[in-house]
Amino acid sequence: MTGNKAVAYKGPGKVELIDIDYPTFELKDGPGVNPANVGRAVNHGVILKTVATNICGSDQHMVRGRTTAPPDLVLGHEITGEVVEVGRDVEFIKVGDVCSVPFNIACGRCRNCKERKTGICLNVNPDRPGSAYGYVDMGGWVGGQANYVLVPYADWNLLKFPDKDRAMEKILDLAMLSDIFPTGFHGAVTAGVGVGSTVYIAGAGPVGLAAATSAHLLGAAVVIVGDLNEDRLARARSFGCETVDLTKGGPAEQIEQILGVPEVDCGVDAVGFEARGHGHGKDAEEAPATVLNSLMDITAAGGALGIPGLYVTGDPGGVDEAAKKGALSLSLGTGWAKSLSFTTGQCPVMKYNRQLMMAILNDKVHIAKNVNAKAITLEEAPQGYAEFDAGAATKYVLNPNGYLS
């Protein structure tokens, strides 16, 4: 039996490399697995040897103890891999194919999948619509920060790279297709970014930087990124963004210095429920509705907010009882008065990933450089999590099987 090591959540602030079973074409019981999914046959799946698997800010929420994730949950939903086994019912994906795995797990058969709403598939998570690998309350599909991982509904879910050698030349860029690049792109698209737009993106983490990259790709005239972290703001400036340092005050007055008016056409929330208030640096107190309320203030009437930042229904570390249930004090009246549109939820990765793959392969975008992607070994994952949590302006890409140089 081939060995399989994986990165697992062990408790607040702690991840460890553990030994886990090599995948089979059946979903087994384990930490976080929904009982209704135990024993589920996955003859439509494949087993991947992991080429790249990224550390995501959404993983970090769990690792901080800010969700109801159980100990020993295997992490990782940003997966790129080479097919080493195919299930009995797989028709089109073959052994040897190198593929990107959308972080959304989708069946391809339900109403929502047929409407391209793959982030809210109805058949893969018994608890609620939508699923993902290695994530709390998402059905219990084992995460991909491991040597090997099972991918269900492979013919539907996998994006095969058209040429393996060409793909490996750009593999750090292509590794961003599983989540952050489509997620950032979705944030920009749903905010209404187009040719000539002015855009404010809250958050200069990897998703925020991906949203900024996407806004440029969509033709924005000015892309402004706000954060409390100067190193991350420097990353944004490195590829042509304007920046707002929120340790120096709120965004409106700084946007006015850039644009001449204190508002933008389009707003993107790439922060989510661990948002902090303005003006107090790294010691700013948590205020989970801050970003959403400030975006409503600075987005022009008739504009839109794209909200790829994660909000949860269960947060043990919430600032009050309401926040622990995901109930936030939103100034909805502001949004109503300004006729603002809102789009929330998981990005439906398949809606965008093929087009973004083509942009990468044809040198129209350099997402890995923009997010400062860095390959590290599986053994270095705990250190990568710690550095990312401390605010490193880096997108950590795990290299479990030595594919990455």
Side-chain angles (χ1 to χ4, degrees):
M1 180 60 73
T2 305
N4 196 18
K5 291 188 177 295
V7 180
Y9 169 67
K10 300 297 282 188
K14 192 173 182 184
V15 298
E16 281 182 11
L17 195 61
I18 64 170
D19 290 301
I20 63 168
D21 291 337
Y22 182 82
T24 64
F25 294 106
E26 179 183 309
L27 196 55
K28 304 285 179 61
D29 197 8
V33 179
N34 189 296
N37 260 350
V38 174
R40 185 172 180 158
V42 192
N43 295 315
H44 42 67
V46 301
I47 295 169
L48 294 182
K49 187 176 184 180
T50 307
V51 171
T53 176
N54 313 335
I55 295 175
C56 179
S58 300
D59 298 321
Q60 201 73 64
H61 292 306
M62 287 190 290
V63 171
R64 289 182 185 133
R66 296 299 298 269
T67 70
T68 54
D72 289 322
L73 182 80
V74 174
L75 300 166
H77 56 270
E78 299 193 13
I79 307 162
T80 308
E82 181 174 11
V83 177
V84 291
E85 290 187 50
V86 298
R88 182 191 67 205
D89 299 335
V90 176
E91 281 191 83
F92 306 114
I93 294 291
K94 306 298 182 190
V95 170
D97 289 345
V98 176
C99 306
S100 178
V101 185
F103 79 90
N104 325 108
I105 302 172
C107 72
R109 296 152 164 78
C110 71
R111 171 182 172 174
N112 284 350
C113 283
K114 289 178 179 180
E115 294 177 356
R116 300 183 81 193
K117 300 172 184 173
T118 53
I120 42 173
C121 172
L122 299 173
N123 288 333
V124 287
N125 182 358
D127 277 339
R128 60 172 127 174
S131 189
Y133 304 88
Y135 213 84
V136 60
D137 296 333
M138 288 291 187
W141 301 90
V142 178
Q145 288 177 12
N147 296 109
Y148 298 91
V149 63
L150 172 69
V151 173
Y153 302 103
D155 283 325
W156 169 251
N157 280 308
L158 290 176
L159 175 68
K160 177 186 169 183
F161 300 142
D163 181 275
K164 187 173 177 180
D165 291 336
R166 189 177 173 205
M168 292 308 296
E169 290 174 6
K170 295 181 178 291
I171 196 64
L172 275 182
D173 292 287
L174 295 170
M176 304 304 145
L177 291 173
S178 56
D179 181 354
I180 65 160
F181 196 9
T183 292
F185 195 83
H186 181 61
V189 167
T190 55
V193 177
V195 174
S197 297
T198 58
V199 187
Y200 178 74
I201 295 162
V207 170
L209 296 174
T213 301
S214 301
H216 285 308
L217 201 56
L218 289 163
V222 184
V223 180
I224 306 168
V225 180
D227 205 293
L228 297 158
N229 182 320
E230 174 51 34
D231 290 341
R232 290 181 171 182
L233 292 174
R235 291 304 316 165
R237 288 192 294 272
S238 76
F239 58 93
C241 300
E242 301 285 346
T243 56
V244 163
D245 183 345
L246 295 171
T247 67
K248 298 177 180 175
E253 57 268 31
Q254 296 183 63
I255 288 170
E256 186 169 19
Q257 290 171 6
I258 296 165
L259 297 178
V261 291
E263 64 180 18
V264 291
D265 301 324
C266 314
V268 178
D269 173 4
V271 178
F273 74 104
E274 287 192 73
R276 296 185 178 277
H278 302 133
H280 304 289
K282 292 178 181 175
D283 297 322
E285 291 185 3
E286 190 168 307
T290 294
V291 169
L292 290 171
N293 286 329
S294 71
L295 283 172
M296 285 191 276
D297 286 337
I298 63 177
T299 301
L305 307 186
I307 308 171
L310 175 69
Y311 289 87
V312 295
T313 55
D315 172 15
V319 293
D320 53 36
E321 289 307 308
K324 288 176 181 177
K325 302 176 202 170
L328 309 182
S329 298
L330 289 181
S331 179
L332 195 58
T334 301
W336 193 93
K338 295 176 77 173
S339 294
L340 299 176
S341 301
F342 300 72
T343 302
T344 64
Q346 285 188 41
C347 163
V349 170
M350 279 191 216
K351 198 169 182 178
Y352 311 108
N353 63 351
R354 186 185 176 279
Q355 303 97 298
L356 295 176
M357 173 186 75
M358 295 303 292
I360 288 168
L361 291 175
N362 291 286
D363 289 319
K364 298 300 181 188
V365 66
H366 302 282
I367 182 67
K369 180 181 177 183
N370 290 2
V371 301
N372 195 28
K374 178 184 177 183
I376 61 175
T377 66
L378 210 56
E379 290 75 17
E380 292 172 308
Q383 180 183 345
Y385 270 97
E387 291 176 3
F388 188 44
D389 189 47
T394 305
K395 177 67 174 177
Y396 291 98
V397 179
L398 303 182
N399 181 24
N401 294 304
Y403 284 90
L404 309 179
S405 58

